Coordinates of all heavy atoms in Angstrom, one line a residue:
M11 N -32.1 4.9 38.3 CA -32.7 4.5 37.0 C -31.6 4.2 35.9 O -30.7 5.0 35.7 CB -33.6 5.6 36.5 CG -34.9 5.1 35.8 SD -36.1 6.4 35.6 CE -35.4 7.5 34.5
A12 N -31.8 3.1 35.3 CA -30.8 2.7 34.3 C -31.0 3.5 33.0 O -32.1 3.7 32.5 CB -30.9 1.2 34.0
V13 N -29.9 3.9 32.4 CA -29.9 4.5 31.1 C -30.0 3.4 30.0 O -29.2 2.5 30.0 CB -28.6 5.4 30.9 CG1 -28.6 6.0 29.5 CG2 -28.6 6.5 31.9
K14 N -31.0 3.6 29.2 CA -31.2 2.6 28.1 C -30.1 2.7 27.1 O -29.8 3.8 26.6 CB -32.5 2.7 27.5 CG -33.0 1.4 26.9 CD -34.4 1.6 26.4 CE -34.7 0.5 25.4 NZ -35.9 0.8 24.6
Y15 N -29.4 1.6 26.8 CA -28.3 1.6 25.8 C -28.9 1.4 24.4 O -29.6 0.4 24.2 CB -27.3 0.5 26.2 CG -26.3 0.4 25.1 CD1 -25.3 1.3 24.9 CD2 -26.3 -0.8 24.3 CE1 -24.3 1.2 23.9 CE2 -25.4 -0.9 23.3 CZ -24.4 0.0 23.1 OH -23.4 -0.1 22.1
V16 N -28.7 2.4 23.6 CA -29.1 2.3 22.2 C -27.9 2.0 21.3 O -27.0 2.8 21.2 CB -29.9 3.5 21.7 CG1 -30.4 3.4 20.3 CG2 -31.0 3.8 22.7
P17 N -27.9 0.9 20.7 CA -26.7 0.6 19.8 C -26.7 1.5 18.6 O -27.7 1.9 18.1 CB -26.9 -0.9 19.3 CG -28.4 -1.2 19.6 CD -28.9 -0.2 20.7
E18 N -25.5 1.9 18.2 CA -25.4 2.8 17.1 C -24.7 2.1 15.9 O -23.9 1.2 16.1 CB -24.5 4.0 17.5 CG -25.2 5.0 18.4 CD -24.4 6.3 18.5 OE1 -23.2 6.3 18.3 OE2 -25.0 7.3 18.8
R19 N -25.1 2.5 14.7 CA -24.5 2.0 13.5 C -24.2 3.1 12.6 O -24.8 4.2 12.7 CB -25.5 1.0 12.8 CG -25.7 -0.3 13.6 CD -24.5 -1.2 13.7 NE -24.8 -2.4 14.4 CZ -24.8 -2.6 15.8 NH1 -24.5 -1.6 16.5 NH2 -25.0 -3.7 16.3
Q20 N -23.3 2.8 11.6 CA -22.9 3.8 10.7 C -23.6 3.7 9.4 O -23.6 2.6 8.8 CB -21.4 3.6 10.6 CG -20.6 4.9 10.2 CD -19.1 4.6 10.2 OE1 -18.7 3.5 10.0 NE2 -18.3 5.6 10.4
C21 N -24.0 4.8 8.8 CA -24.5 4.8 7.5 C -23.4 4.6 6.5 O -22.3 5.2 6.7 CB -25.2 6.2 7.2 SG -25.6 6.4 5.4
V22 N -23.5 3.7 5.6 CA -22.4 3.3 4.7 C -22.1 4.4 3.7 O -21.0 4.4 3.1 CB -22.7 2.0 3.9 CG1 -22.7 0.8 4.9 CG2 -23.9 2.1 3.0
V23 N -22.9 5.4 3.6 CA -22.7 6.5 2.6 C -22.1 7.7 3.3 O -21.0 8.1 3.1 CB -24.0 6.9 1.9 CG1 -23.7 8.1 0.9 CG2 -24.5 5.7 1.1
C24 N -22.8 8.3 4.3 CA -22.3 9.6 4.9 C -21.5 9.3 6.1 O -20.8 10.2 6.6 CB -23.5 10.4 5.3 SG -24.6 9.7 6.5
R25 N -21.4 8.1 6.6 CA -20.5 7.7 7.7 C -20.9 8.3 9.0 O -20.2 8.3 10.0 CB -19.1 8.0 7.4 CG -18.5 7.4 6.1 CD -18.0 6.0 6.5 NE -17.7 5.2 5.3 CZ -17.5 3.9 5.3 NH1 -17.6 3.3 6.4 NH2 -17.3 3.3 4.1
N26 N -22.1 8.9 9.1 CA -22.6 9.4 10.3 C -23.2 8.3 11.1 O -23.7 7.3 10.6 CB -23.7 10.5 10.1 CG -23.1 11.8 9.6 OD1 -22.1 12.2 10.0 ND2 -23.9 12.4 8.7
R27 N -23.1 8.4 12.4 CA -23.6 7.4 13.3 C -25.0 7.7 13.7 O -25.4 8.8 14.0 CB -22.7 7.2 14.5 CG -21.3 6.8 14.1 CD -20.4 6.5 15.3 NE -20.8 5.3 16.0 CZ -20.4 4.1 15.7 NH1 -19.6 4.0 14.6 NH2 -20.8 3.1 16.3
F28 N -25.9 6.7 13.8 CA -27.3 6.9 14.2 C -27.6 5.7 15.1 O -27.0 4.6 15.1 CB -28.2 6.8 12.9 CG -28.0 7.9 11.9 CD1 -27.0 7.7 10.9 CD2 -28.6 9.1 12.0 CE1 -26.8 8.7 10.0 CE2 -28.4 10.1 11.1 CZ -27.5 9.9 10.1
A29 N -28.7 6.0 15.9 CA -29.2 4.8 16.7 C -29.8 3.8 15.7 O -30.4 4.1 14.7 CB -30.4 5.3 17.5
K30 N -29.5 2.5 16.0 CA -29.9 1.5 15.1 C -31.3 1.5 14.6 O -31.5 1.3 13.4 CB -29.5 0.1 15.8 CG -29.3 -1.0 14.8 CD -28.9 -2.3 15.6 CE -29.3 -3.5 14.8 NZ -29.2 -4.7 15.5
P31 N -32.3 1.8 15.4 CA -33.7 1.9 14.9 C -33.9 3.0 13.9 O -34.9 2.9 13.2 CB -34.5 2.1 16.2 CG -33.6 1.8 17.3 CD -32.2 2.1 16.9
D32 N -33.0 4.0 13.8 CA -33.2 5.0 12.9 C -32.5 4.8 11.6 O -32.5 5.7 10.7 CB -32.6 6.3 13.5 CG -33.4 6.8 14.7 OD1 -34.6 6.5 14.7 OD2 -32.9 7.5 15.5
L33 N -32.0 3.6 11.4 CA -31.3 3.3 10.1 C -32.1 2.2 9.4 O -32.9 1.5 10.0 CB -29.9 2.7 10.4 CG -28.9 3.8 10.9 CD1 -27.8 3.2 11.6 CD2 -28.4 4.6 9.7
I34 N -31.9 2.2 8.1 CA -32.5 1.1 7.2 C -31.4 0.0 7.1 O -30.3 0.3 6.8 CB -32.8 1.7 5.9 CG1 -33.8 2.8 6.0 CG2 -33.3 0.6 4.9 CD1 -33.7 3.8 4.8
R35 N -31.8 -1.2 7.4 CA -30.9 -2.3 7.3 C -31.1 -3.1 6.1 O -32.3 -3.5 5.8 CB -31.0 -3.2 8.5 CG -29.9 -4.3 8.5 CD -29.8 -5.0 9.9 NE -28.7 -5.9 9.9 CZ -28.8 -7.3 9.8 NH1 -29.9 -7.8 9.7 NH2 -27.7 -8.0 9.8
F36 N -30.1 -3.3 5.3 CA -30.1 -4.2 4.1 C -29.4 -5.5 4.6 O -28.4 -5.4 5.3 CB -29.3 -3.6 3.0 CG -29.9 -2.4 2.4 CD1 -29.8 -1.2 3.0 CD2 -30.5 -2.4 1.1 CE1 -30.3 0.0 2.5 CE2 -31.0 -1.3 0.5 CZ -30.9 -0.1 1.2
V37 N -30.0 -6.6 4.2 CA -29.4 -7.8 4.6 C -29.3 -8.8 3.5 O -30.2 -8.9 2.6 CB -30.2 -8.4 5.8 CG1 -31.6 -8.9 5.5 CG2 -29.4 -9.6 6.5
N38 N -28.3 -9.6 3.4 CA -28.2 -10.7 2.5 C -29.1 -11.8 2.9 O -28.9 -12.4 3.9 CB -26.7 -11.2 2.5 CG -25.8 -10.4 1.6 OD1 -26.2 -9.5 0.9 ND2 -24.5 -10.8 1.6
G39 N -30.1 -12.0 2.1 CA -31.1 -13.0 2.4 C -30.7 -14.4 1.9 O -29.8 -14.6 1.2
A40 N -31.4 -15.4 2.5 CA -31.1 -16.8 2.2 C -31.4 -17.1 0.7 O -31.0 -18.1 0.2 CB -31.9 -17.7 3.1
D41 N -32.2 -16.3 0.1 CA -32.6 -16.5 -1.3 C -31.6 -16.0 -2.3 O -31.8 -16.1 -3.5 CB -34.0 -15.8 -1.6 CG -33.9 -14.3 -1.5 OD1 -32.8 -13.8 -1.0 OD2 -34.9 -13.6 -1.8
G42 N -30.4 -15.5 -1.8 CA -29.4 -15.1 -2.7 C -29.5 -13.6 -3.1 O -28.6 -13.1 -3.8
G43 N -30.5 -13.0 -2.7 CA -30.7 -11.6 -3.0 C -30.5 -10.7 -1.8 O -30.1 -11.2 -0.7
V44 N -30.8 -9.4 -1.9 CA -30.7 -8.5 -0.8 C -32.1 -8.1 -0.4 O -32.9 -7.8 -1.3 CB -29.9 -7.3 -1.2 CG1 -29.9 -6.2 0.0 CG2 -28.4 -7.7 -1.5
S45 N -32.4 -8.1 0.9 CA -33.8 -7.6 1.3 C -33.6 -6.5 2.4 O -32.5 -6.4 3.0 CB -34.7 -8.7 1.7 OG -34.0 -9.6 2.5
L46 N -34.7 -5.8 2.6 CA -34.7 -4.9 3.7 C -35.1 -5.7 5.0 O -35.8 -6.6 5.0 CB -35.7 -3.8 3.5 CG -35.4 -2.9 2.3 CD1 -36.6 -1.9 2.1 CD2 -34.1 -2.1 2.5
D47 N -34.5 -5.2 6.1 CA -34.7 -5.9 7.4 C -35.3 -4.9 8.4 O -34.5 -4.3 9.2 CB -33.4 -6.5 7.8 CG -33.5 -7.1 9.2 OD1 -34.6 -7.3 9.7 OD2 -32.5 -7.3 9.9
P48 N -36.6 -4.6 8.3 CA -37.2 -3.6 9.3 C -37.0 -4.0 10.7 O -37.0 -3.1 11.6 CB -38.7 -3.6 8.9 CG -38.8 -4.3 7.6 CD -37.6 -5.3 7.5
S49 N -36.9 -5.3 11.0 CA -36.8 -5.7 12.4 C -35.3 -5.5 12.9 O -35.1 -5.4 14.1 CB -37.2 -7.2 12.6 OG -36.2 -8.0 12.0
G50 N -34.4 -5.5 12.0 CA -33.0 -5.4 12.4 C -32.4 -6.7 13.0 O -31.4 -6.7 13.6
R51 N -33.2 -7.8 12.9 CA -32.8 -9.0 13.5 C -32.5 -10.2 12.6 O -32.2 -11.3 13.1 CB -33.9 -9.4 14.5 CG -34.0 -8.5 15.7 CD -34.9 -9.2 16.7 NE -35.4 -8.2 17.7 CZ -36.5 -7.5 17.6 NH1 -37.3 -7.7 16.5 NH2 -36.9 -6.6 18.5
M52 N -32.6 -9.9 11.3 CA -32.4 -11.0 10.4 C -30.9 -11.4 10.4 O -30.0 -10.6 10.5 CB -32.8 -10.6 9.0 CG -34.3 -10.7 8.8 SD -34.9 -9.9 7.3 CE -34.3 -11.0 6.0
N53 N -30.7 -12.7 10.2 CA -29.3 -13.2 10.1 C -28.7 -12.9 8.7 O -29.5 -12.8 7.7 CB -29.3 -14.7 10.3 CG -29.6 -15.1 11.7 OD1 -29.1 -14.5 12.6 ND2 -30.4 -16.2 11.9
G54 N -27.5 -12.7 8.7 CA -26.8 -12.5 7.5 C -26.0 -11.2 7.5 O -26.2 -10.4 8.4
R55 N -25.2 -11.0 6.5 CA -24.4 -9.8 6.4 C -25.3 -8.6 6.1 O -26.2 -8.7 5.3 CB -23.4 -10.0 5.2 CG -22.3 -9.0 5.1 CD -21.5 -9.2 3.8 NE -20.6 -8.1 3.5 CZ -19.4 -8.1 4.0 NH1 -18.9 -9.1 4.7 NH2 -18.6 -7.1 3.7
G56 N -25.1 -7.6 6.8 CA -26.0 -6.4 6.7 C -25.2 -5.1 6.4 O -24.0 -5.0 6.6
A57 N -25.9 -4.1 5.9 CA -25.4 -2.8 5.7 C -26.5 -1.8 6.1 O -27.6 -2.1 5.9 CB -25.0 -2.6 4.2
Y58 N -26.0 -0.7 6.7 CA -27.0 0.3 7.1 C -26.9 1.6 6.3 O -25.9 2.0 5.9 CB -26.7 0.6 8.6 CG -26.9 -0.5 9.5 CD1 -25.9 -1.4 9.8 CD2 -28.2 -0.7 10.1 CE1 -26.1 -2.5 10.6 CE2 -28.4 -1.8 11.0 CZ -27.3 -2.7 11.2 OH -27.5 -3.7 12.1
L59 N -28.1 2.2 6.2 CA -28.3 3.4 5.5 C -29.2 4.3 6.3 O -30.2 3.8 6.8 CB -28.9 3.1 4.1 CG -28.6 3.9 2.9 CD1 -27.1 3.8 2.6 CD2 -29.3 3.4 1.7
C60 N -28.8 5.6 6.3 CA -29.7 6.5 7.1 C -30.9 6.9 6.2 O -31.0 6.4 5.0 CB -29.0 7.7 7.5 SG -28.5 8.9 6.2
H61 N -31.8 7.7 6.7 CA -33.0 8.0 5.9 C -32.9 9.2 5.0 O -33.8 9.7 4.5 CB -34.2 8.3 6.9 CG -34.7 7.0 7.5 ND1 -35.6 6.2 6.9 CD2 -34.4 6.4 8.7 CE1 -35.9 5.2 7.6 NE2 -35.2 5.2 8.7
N62 N -31.6 9.7 4.9 CA -31.4 10.9 4.0 C -31.5 10.5 2.5 O -30.9 9.6 2.1 CB -30.0 11.3 4.3 CG -29.7 12.7 3.7 OD1 -30.1 13.0 2.6 ND2 -28.9 13.5 4.5
A63 N -32.4 11.2 1.8 CA -32.6 10.9 0.4 C -31.3 10.9 -0.4 O -31.1 10.2 -1.4 CB -33.6 11.9 -0.2
E64 N -30.4 11.8 -0.1 CA -29.1 11.9 -0.7 C -28.3 10.7 -0.6 O -27.6 10.2 -1.6 CB -28.3 13.1 -0.2 CG -28.5 14.4 -0.9 CD -27.7 15.5 -0.3 OE1 -26.5 15.3 0.0 OE2 -28.3 16.6 -0.1
C65 N -28.3 10.1 0.6 CA -27.6 8.9 0.8 C -28.2 7.7 0.0 O -27.4 6.9 -0.5 CB -27.6 8.5 2.3 SG -26.5 9.5 3.3
H66 N -29.5 7.7 -0.1 CA -30.1 6.6 -0.9 C -29.7 6.8 -2.4 O -29.3 5.8 -3.0 CB -31.7 6.8 -0.9 CG -32.2 6.5 0.5 ND1 -33.5 6.6 0.8 CD2 -31.5 6.2 1.7 CE1 -33.7 6.3 2.1 NE2 -32.5 6.1 2.7
E67 N -29.7 8.0 -2.9 CA -29.3 8.2 -4.3 C -27.9 7.8 -4.5 O -27.5 7.1 -5.5 CB -29.5 9.7 -4.6 CG -30.7 9.9 -5.5 CD -30.8 11.4 -6.0 OE1 -29.8 11.8 -6.6 OE2 -31.7 12.0 -5.7
K68 N -27.0 8.3 -3.6 CA -25.6 8.0 -3.8 C -25.3 6.5 -3.7 O -24.6 5.9 -4.5 CB -24.8 8.7 -2.7 CG -24.3 10.1 -3.0 CD -23.3 10.5 -2.0 CE -23.3 12.1 -1.9 NZ -22.5 12.5 -0.8
A69 N -26.0 5.9 -2.8 CA -25.8 4.4 -2.6 C -26.2 3.7 -3.8 O -25.6 2.7 -4.2 CB -26.6 3.9 -1.4
R70 N -27.3 4.1 -4.4 CA -27.8 3.4 -5.6 C -26.9 3.7 -6.8 O -26.6 2.7 -7.5 CB -29.3 4.0 -5.9 CG -29.9 3.2 -7.0 CD -31.3 3.8 -7.3 NE -32.0 2.9 -8.2 CZ -33.3 3.1 -8.6 NH1 -34.0 4.0 -8.0 NH2 -33.8 2.3 -9.5
K71 N -26.6 4.9 -7.0 CA -25.8 5.2 -8.2 C -24.4 4.6 -8.1 O -23.8 4.2 -9.1 CB -25.7 6.8 -8.4 CG -26.9 7.3 -8.9 CD -26.8 8.8 -9.2 CE -28.1 9.4 -9.7 NZ -28.2 10.9 -9.3
A72 N -23.8 4.7 -6.9 CA -22.4 4.3 -6.8 C -22.3 2.8 -6.4 O -21.2 2.2 -6.3 CB -21.7 5.1 -5.8
G73 N -23.4 2.2 -6.1 CA -23.4 0.8 -5.8 C -22.8 0.5 -4.4 O -22.1 -0.5 -4.3
I74 N -22.9 1.4 -3.5 CA -22.2 1.3 -2.2 C -22.7 0.1 -1.4 O -21.9 -0.6 -0.8 CB -22.3 2.6 -1.4 CG1 -21.5 3.7 -2.2 CG2 -21.6 2.5 -0.1 CD1 -21.7 5.1 -1.7
V75 N -24.0 0.0 -1.3 CA -24.6 -1.1 -0.5 C -24.2 -2.4 -1.2 O -23.8 -3.4 -0.6 CB -26.1 -1.0 -0.4 CG1 -26.7 -2.2 0.4 CG2 -26.4 0.3 0.4
D76 N -24.3 -2.4 -2.5 CA -24.0 -3.6 -3.3 C -22.6 -4.1 -3.0 O -22.3 -5.3 -2.8 CB -24.0 -3.3 -4.8 CG -25.4 -2.7 -5.2 OD1 -25.8 -1.8 -4.6 OD2 -25.9 -3.2 -6.2
R77 N -21.6 -3.1 -2.8 CA -20.3 -3.4 -2.6 C -20.1 -4.0 -1.2 O -19.3 -4.9 -1.0 CB -19.4 -2.1 -2.7 CG -18.0 -2.4 -3.1 CD -17.4 -1.2 -3.9 NE -17.4 0.0 -3.1 CZ -17.7 1.2 -3.7 NH1 -18.1 1.3 -4.9 NH2 -17.7 2.3 -3.0
H78 N -20.8 -3.4 -0.2 CA -20.7 -3.9 1.2 C -21.2 -5.3 1.3 O -20.7 -6.1 2.0 CB -21.5 -3.0 2.1 CG -20.7 -1.9 2.6 ND1 -20.1 -1.9 3.9 CD2 -20.5 -0.6 2.1 CE1 -19.5 -0.8 4.0 NE2 -19.7 0.0 3.0
L79 N -22.3 -5.6 0.5 CA -22.9 -6.9 0.7 C -22.4 -7.9 -0.3 O -22.8 -9.1 -0.3 CB -24.5 -6.8 0.6 CG -25.1 -5.9 1.7 CD1 -26.6 -5.8 1.4 CD2 -24.8 -6.5 3.1
K80 N -21.6 -7.4 -1.3 CA -21.1 -8.2 -2.4 C -22.3 -8.9 -3.2 O -22.1 -9.9 -3.7 CB -20.2 -9.3 -1.8 CG -19.0 -8.7 -1.1 CD -18.0 -9.8 -0.7 CE -16.7 -9.2 -0.3 NZ -16.7 -8.3 0.9
R81 N -23.4 -8.1 -3.2 CA -24.5 -8.6 -4.0 C -25.2 -7.4 -4.6 O -25.1 -6.3 -4.1 CB -25.6 -9.3 -3.1 CG -25.1 -10.7 -2.7 CD -26.3 -11.3 -2.0 NE -25.8 -12.5 -1.3 CZ -26.5 -13.3 -0.6 NH1 -27.8 -13.0 -0.4 NH2 -26.0 -14.4 0.0
K82 N -26.0 -7.6 -5.7 CA -26.7 -6.6 -6.3 C -28.0 -6.3 -5.6 O -28.8 -7.2 -5.3 CB -27.0 -7.0 -7.8 CG -27.8 -6.0 -8.6 CD -27.0 -5.0 -9.3 CE -27.8 -4.0 -10.1 NZ -28.5 -3.0 -9.3
V83 N -28.2 -5.0 -5.2 CA -29.5 -4.6 -4.6 C -30.5 -4.4 -5.7 O -30.3 -3.7 -6.6 CB -29.3 -3.3 -3.8 CG1 -30.7 -2.9 -3.1 CG2 -28.3 -3.5 -2.7
D84 N -31.6 -5.1 -5.6 CA -32.6 -5.1 -6.6 C -33.3 -3.7 -6.7 O -33.5 -3.0 -5.7 CB -33.7 -6.1 -6.3 CG -34.6 -6.3 -7.5 OD1 -34.2 -7.1 -8.4 OD2 -35.7 -5.7 -7.6
D85 N -33.6 -3.2 -7.9 CA -34.2 -1.9 -8.2 C -35.5 -1.8 -7.3 O -35.8 -0.6 -6.9 CB -34.5 -1.7 -9.6 CG -33.3 -1.3 -10.4 OD1 -32.3 -0.9 -9.8 OD2 -33.3 -1.4 -11.7
S86 N -36.2 -2.8 -7.1 CA -37.5 -2.7 -6.4 C -37.3 -2.2 -5.0 O -38.1 -1.5 -4.4 CB -38.2 -4.1 -6.4 OG -37.4 -5.0 -5.7
I87 N -36.1 -2.5 -4.4 CA -35.8 -2.1 -3.1 C -35.5 -0.6 -3.1 O -36.0 0.2 -2.3 CB -34.5 -2.8 -2.5 CG1 -34.9 -4.2 -2.2 CG2 -34.0 -2.1 -1.3 CD1 -33.9 -5.1 -1.6
W88 N -34.8 -0.1 -4.1 CA -34.5 1.3 -4.2 C -35.8 2.1 -4.4 O -36.0 3.2 -3.9 CB -33.5 1.7 -5.3 CG -32.2 1.1 -5.0 CD1 -31.5 0.2 -5.7 CD2 -31.3 1.4 -3.9 NE1 -30.3 -0.1 -5.1 CE2 -30.2 0.7 -4.0 CE3 -31.5 2.3 -2.8 CZ2 -29.1 0.7 -3.1 CZ3 -30.4 2.4 -1.9 CH2 -29.3 1.6 -2.0
E89 N -36.7 1.5 -5.2 CA -38.0 2.1 -5.5 C -38.8 2.2 -4.2 O -39.5 3.2 -4.0 CB -38.7 1.4 -6.6 CG -38.3 2.0 -8.0 CD -38.3 0.9 -9.1 OE1 -39.1 0.0 -9.1 OE2 -37.4 1.0 -9.9
A90 N -38.8 1.2 -3.4 CA -39.5 1.2 -2.2 C -39.0 2.3 -1.3 O -39.7 3.0 -0.6 CB -39.4 -0.1 -1.5
L91 N -37.7 2.5 -1.3 CA -37.1 3.6 -0.4 C -37.4 4.9 -1.0 O -37.6 5.9 -0.2 CB -35.5 3.4 -0.3 CG -35.0 2.2 0.5 CD1 -33.5 2.2 0.5 CD2 -35.6 2.3 1.9
A92 N -37.4 5.1 -2.3 CA -37.7 6.3 -2.9 C -39.1 6.8 -2.5 O -39.4 8.0 -2.4 CB -37.6 6.3 -4.4
G93 N -40.0 5.8 -2.3 CA -41.3 6.1 -1.9 C -41.4 6.8 -0.5 O -42.3 7.6 -0.2
E94 N -40.3 6.7 0.3 CA -40.3 7.4 1.6 C -40.2 8.9 1.4 O -40.5 9.6 2.3 CB -38.9 7.0 2.3 CG -39.0 5.8 3.1 CD -37.8 5.7 4.0 OE1 -36.8 6.5 3.9 OE2 -37.8 4.9 5.0
H95 N -39.7 9.3 0.3 CA -39.4 10.7 0.1 C -40.4 11.5 -0.7 O -40.2 12.6 -1.0 CB -38.0 10.9 -0.5 CG -36.9 10.2 0.3 ND1 -36.6 10.5 1.6 CD2 -36.2 9.1 0.0 CE1 -35.7 9.6 2.0 NE2 -35.4 8.8 1.0
S96 N -41.4 10.7 -1.2 CA -42.3 11.4 -2.1 C -43.5 11.9 -1.3 O -43.7 11.5 -0.2 CB -42.8 10.5 -3.2 OG -43.3 9.3 -2.7
Ligands
ZN1053 ZN1 -26.3 8.6 5.4

């Protein structure tokens, strides 16, 4: 029986590695903004964040994802993520 290979990616904040499906992918969209990529298949420069609320806060406050993508992450995206923790 073949062992299924699960690609791992690193959270840009805590630097821990997670299976790709367990991370939130931010991607530079064709519209010039940043969007979330639930499928993990969108083209463009991407950055990964784990589901830890602390990482979301740090990333937002310190602009870590913004720095990775060289674009501003819209507040509406952070608000959508914050909804995960309420
Ligand atoms: Zn993290």
